[in-house]
């Protein structure tokens, strides 16, 4: 009988809250040394100020020196191919070179041009939710399809392939699976994205892949294009879909906060920031590797050590924000690290913010009586996923 894997400390939660042990470490030691599932130690950083300092210092806390998951199952050539184009796996100046080509596509101005189409996609998903009849699964009919369709259109990915890449994404992010299965999912994903890139190279369209081929094809190798496309597709639907699902659950459990948004949809903007802080669905960015002996919160971390920054602990740090355990959508929570910080700050943050700013008020407007189908039912969380979320959320109206 296969023993269930143990959930690493930085991924442990208590429902919508960080694990009590993470909060204790943050408030007392600030840093804790743990054993990773791969058998090597790592240092978990829990305080807001320390997390920002680590993320802002790629010279001492390197992304490029950290092996990609499953690399021990690959030869050097395949590991290099798997890393190609993965912005989060590089340090400046290589990271800067890759990111500079994508930044114009994710500016706030560019996102505003997408607003009418995103609004149409949200309305279509709400129609689908209503047609499903109550009770209905909000994740299946709303939270997952909205960002999925948006990123598909942005990248030029056939939406008919949605079920296929969502299944693959779930396997890529599920740390409870044996590493061989996750490596297999990486290879499948790479092969799929390689096909999309080949089509874009043969006939570049007006989508982002087409733009990259036309404008940067001489600077980007095919492997880099494949890696960039795969990263954007994975990050573009997994993160926002889980925010829409968990965010709705959080609002339904805090009816006073939900009522504020329903009364004044303009509060959606600060509400999104507060939900990002309060939920912190990304447990951490991929680990960094120290390039020298460093001191964090009074702890000396030796050179060559893995460092993990806990976003849920940092975003609930009382040294960062007053009354951090309270969900208060009116404060906006500027300075949170839900999108990371420094050179690896989430490239797609403007897109994610716009999707949520549109989706939450429209959901509440369409369904004034929105409620949990069974308020006493235990929510089923994706505990072992790198991106925290819900498997389903049954709602009525």
């Amino acid at each position: 009988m296969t023993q269930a894997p143990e959930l690493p400390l930085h991924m442990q939660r208590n429902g919508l809250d960080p694990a009590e042990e993470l909060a204790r470490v943050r408030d007392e030691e600030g840093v804790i040394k743990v054993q990773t599932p791969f058998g090597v130690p790592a240092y978990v950083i829990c305080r807001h100020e320390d997390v920002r300092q680590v993320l802002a210092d790629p010279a001492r806390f390197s992304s490029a020196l950290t092996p990609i998951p499953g690399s021990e199952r690959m030869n050097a050539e395949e590991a290099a191919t798997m890393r190609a184009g993965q912005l989060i796996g590089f340090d400046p100046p290589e990271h800067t070179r890759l990111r500079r080509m994508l930044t114009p596509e994710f500016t706030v101005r560019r996102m505003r041009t997408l607003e009418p189409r995103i609004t149409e996609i949200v309305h279509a998903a709400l129609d689908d939710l209503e047609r499903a009849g109550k009770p209905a699964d909000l994740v299946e009919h709303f939270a997952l399809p909205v960002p999925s369709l948006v990123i598909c259109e942005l990248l030029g990915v056939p939406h008919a392939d949605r079920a296929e890449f969502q299944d693959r994404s779930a396997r890529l992010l599920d740390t409870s699976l044996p590493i061989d299965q996750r490596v297999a999912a990486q290879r499948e994903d790479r092969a799929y994205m390689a096909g999309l890139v080949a089509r874009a190279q043969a006939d570049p369209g007006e989508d982002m892949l087409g733009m990259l081929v036309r404008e940067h094809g001489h600077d980007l190798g095919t492997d880099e294009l494949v890696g960039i496309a795969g990263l954007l597709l994975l990050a573009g639907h997994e993160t926002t879909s889980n925010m829409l699902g968990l965010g709705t659950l959080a609002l339904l459990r805090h009816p006073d906060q939900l009522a504020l948004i329903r009364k004044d949809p303009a509060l959606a903007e600060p509400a999104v920031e507060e939900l990002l802080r309060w939920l912190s669905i990304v447990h951490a960015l991929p680990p960094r590797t120290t390039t020298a002996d460093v001191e964090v919160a009074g702890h000396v971390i030796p050179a060559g050590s893995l460092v993990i920054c806990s976003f849920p602990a940092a975003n609930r740090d009382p040294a960062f924000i007053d009354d951090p355990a309270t969900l208060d959508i009116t404060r906006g929570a500027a300075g949170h690290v839900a999108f990371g910080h420094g050179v690896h700050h989430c490239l797609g943050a403007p897109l994610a913010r716009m999707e949520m700013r549109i989706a939450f008020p429209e959901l509440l407007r369409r369904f004034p009586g929105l409620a949990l189908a069974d308020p006493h039912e235990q929510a089923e969380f994706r505990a072992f996923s790198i991106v925290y979320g819900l498997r389903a959320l049954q709602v009525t109206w």
Side-chain angles (χ1 to χ4, degrees):
M1 184 174 178
T2 303
Q3 186 176 6
E6 184 179 348
L7 196 61
L9 176 62
H10 74 280
M11 294 177 66
Q12 292 178 20
R13 306 270 183 147
N14 180 17
L16 297 179
D17 300 319
E20 291 179 6
E21 176 65 5
L22 274 175
R24 186 200 64 76
V25 170
R26 179 197 61 219
D27 298 340
E28 296 179 10
E29 297 102 338
V31 176
I32 186 171
K33 187 177 180 181
V34 300
Q35 199 73 5
T36 68
F38 307 108
V40 296
Y43 293 82
V44 180
I45 314 296
C46 295
R47 292 175 181 163
H48 183 267
E49 182 180 358
D50 295 333
V51 164
R52 284 173 63 94
Q53 288 180 357
V54 168
L55 297 180
D57 189 356
R60 294 194 304 159
F61 300 92
S62 169
S63 298
L65 293 179
T66 304
I68 62 172
S71 58
E72 69 279 4
R73 301 291 203 279
M74 309 171 192
N75 60 37
E77 182 180 358
E78 183 181 18
T81 299
M82 288 291 187
R83 186 185 286 274
Q86 298 285 330
L87 280 74
I88 55 177
F90 290 98
D91 302 322
E94 185 64 8
H95 170 270
T96 310
R97 177 183 75 87
L98 293 169
R99 186 169 176 125
R100 187 183 295 126
M101 301 177 202
L102 292 166
T103 299
E105 293 299 304
F106 287 98
T107 61
V108 173
R109 178 180 296 181
R110 170 79 171 106
M111 292 304 102
R112 288 198 186 110
T113 67
L114 300 177
E115 185 167 359
R117 178 57 185 143
I118 293 174
T119 302
E120 289 178 1
I121 289 170
V122 167
H123 287 166
L126 291 170
D127 291 342
D128 182 59
L129 180 64
E130 191 167 12
R131 278 194 299 270
K134 52 188 178 180
D137 181 2
L138 185 101
V139 173
E140 177 186 353
H141 296 286
F142 182 70
L144 193 52
V146 167
S148 174
L149 185 52
V150 169
I151 198 65
C152 281
E153 292 193 2
L154 197 62
L155 282 174
V157 176
H159 199 240
D161 296 346
R162 184 180 73 183
E164 176 189 342
F165 72 68
Q166 285 171 355
D167 170 71
R168 200 165 47 239
S169 296
R171 287 184 284 132
L172 281 167
L173 296 173
D174 188 350
T175 61
S176 71
L177 292 178
I179 192 62
D180 288 342
Q181 292 186 31
R182 294 178 65 198
V183 169
Q186 288 183 60
R187 289 170 175 151
E188 290 171 29
D189 190 62
R190 197 87 196 178
Y192 173 78
M193 300 312 300
L196 292 181
V197 167
R199 289 201 289 274
Q201 289 172 325
D203 183 21
E206 295 304 312
D207 51 72
M208 194 178 299
L209 267 184
M211 178 279 294
L212 287 171
V213 169
R214 281 194 311 274
E215 298 184 15
H216 303 289
H218 55 290
D219 296 319
L220 289 170
T222 296
D223 285 340
E224 289 181 317
L225 282 167
V226 171
I228 288 170
L231 177 62
L232 293 178
L233 181 61
L234 177 68
H237 80 272
E238 277 287 342
T239 50
T240 309
S241 68
N242 285 298
M243 270 302 302
L244 290 175
L246 279 181
T248 301
L249 176 61
L251 291 172
L252 290 172
R253 287 184 174 177
H254 295 80
D256 58 326
Q257 302 297 297
L258 184 150
L260 290 174
I261 301 178
R262 179 173 283 132
K263 183 178 179 181
D264 182 6
L267 282 175
E269 192 164 337
V272 164
E273 298 307 314
E274 175 70 347
L275 286 166
L276 284 162
R277 177 198 72 83
W278 197 76
L279 293 167
S280 298
I281 61 163
V282 177
H283 304 290
L285 286 176
R288 306 292 172 90
T289 299
T290 52
T291 60
D293 291 357
V294 295
E295 185 174 324
V296 179
H299 298 260
V300 176
I301 302 177
S305 300
L306 289 181
V307 171
I308 298 169
C309 292
S310 171
F311 292 169
N315 280 332
R316 299 269 190 115
D317 188 346
F320 158 56
I321 197 165
D322 292 335
D323 194 16
T326 296
L327 179 67
D328 178 2
I329 66 161
T330 64
R331 61 179 161 192
H336 66 74
V337 290
F339 284 125
H341 179 66
V343 297
H344 288 290
H345 182 271
C346 178
L347 183 68
L351 176 61
R353 284 183 165 111
M354 173 163 284
E355 291 179 73
M356 290 185 280
R357 182 178 59 77
I358 294 169
F360 283 124
E362 288 299 316
L363 172 66
L364 300 179
R365 184 190 62 79
R366 175 71 72 89
F367 300 106
L370 189 71
L372 296 172
D374 181 358
H376 305 292
E377 184 179 4
Q378 292 296 313
E380 188 179 359
F381 297 100
R382 299 169 60 191
F384 280 91
S385 177
I386 292 171
V387 181
Y388 194 56
L390 292 165
R391 297 190 184 282
L393 182 64
Q394 296 294 326
V395 296
T396 188
W397 51 86

